[in-house]
């Protein structure tokens, strides 16, 4: 079955960088659309970035220019490179996957990981 496992979260000072990984099994990342989402305490889950099966990408306005989504088909892994981190980036980050790009964009992907915590604080 499809499984997603995030890693790479942690604590970092403002201005720092982190790279999140999402290892996929049960399907090939080259054939699915995938995305990163985040949820901060007391807030709704929000989309961060999406990469479609054709490798086209889209970003939330709040992270554009700072975050980069990518995937390594050989490693069957999704990444999120996060630079110039801000305290407001603090959240649990989740990866998601679906064979329909619209479901990923709409936050309705069928498959989700368990999440990895990112904390940005001085």
């Amino acid at each position: 079955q499809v499984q997603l496992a995030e890693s790479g979260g942690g604590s970092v000072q403002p201005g720092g960088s982190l790279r999140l990984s999402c290892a996929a099994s049960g399907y090939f990342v080259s054939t699915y659309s995938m995305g990163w989402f985040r949820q901060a305490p007391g807030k709704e889950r929000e989309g961060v970035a999406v990469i479609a099966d054709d490798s086209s990408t889209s970003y939330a306005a709040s992270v554009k220019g700072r975050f980069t989504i990518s995937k390594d088909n050989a490693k069957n892994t999704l990444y999120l490179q996060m630079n110039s981190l801000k305290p407001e980036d603090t959240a649990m980050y989740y990866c998601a996957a679906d064979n329909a790009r619209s479901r990923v964009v709409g936050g309705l992907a069928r498959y989700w990981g368990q999440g990895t915590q990112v904390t940005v604080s001085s």
Side-chain angles (χ1 to χ4, degrees):
Q1 72 263 26
V2 173
Q3 290 187 322
L4 302 172
E6 303 96 335
S7 62
S11 295
V12 64
Q13 293 186 339
S17 298
L18 283 174
R19 187 177 80 156
L20 306 184
S21 299
C22 173
S25 60
Y27 75 102
F28 295 110
V29 298
S30 60
T31 63
Y32 271 48
S33 292
M34 299 185 71
W36 287 99
F37 294 78
R38 66 186 181 186
Q39 187 167 21
K43 295 189 176 180
E44 291 189 356
R45 186 177 64 197
E46 63 173 346
V48 175
V50 172
I51 185 165
D53 55 347
D54 65 359
S55 295
S56 60
T57 59
S58 59
Y59 296 90
S62 59
V63 307
K64 205 166 189 178
R66 300 189 297 123
F67 291 10
T68 302
I69 189 171
S70 63
K71 58 183 178 178
D72 185 328
N73 293 338
K75 295 183 178 180
N76 222 36
T77 300
L78 176 75
Y79 300 101
L80 185 69
Q81 178 66 44
M82 305 186 294
N83 299 327
S84 303
L85 282 161
K86 304 176 181 180
E88 51 264 42
D89 295 317
T90 296
M92 184 71 78
Y93 283 71
Y94 301 89
C95 66
D98 201 294
N99 59 358
R101 180 177 182 271
S102 61
R103 281 201 287 262
V104 177
V105 171
L108 299 174
R110 286 179 290 170
Y111 307 108
W112 294 82
Q114 294 299 307
T116 186
Q117 178 68 39
V118 171
T119 302
V120 185
S121 173
S122 56

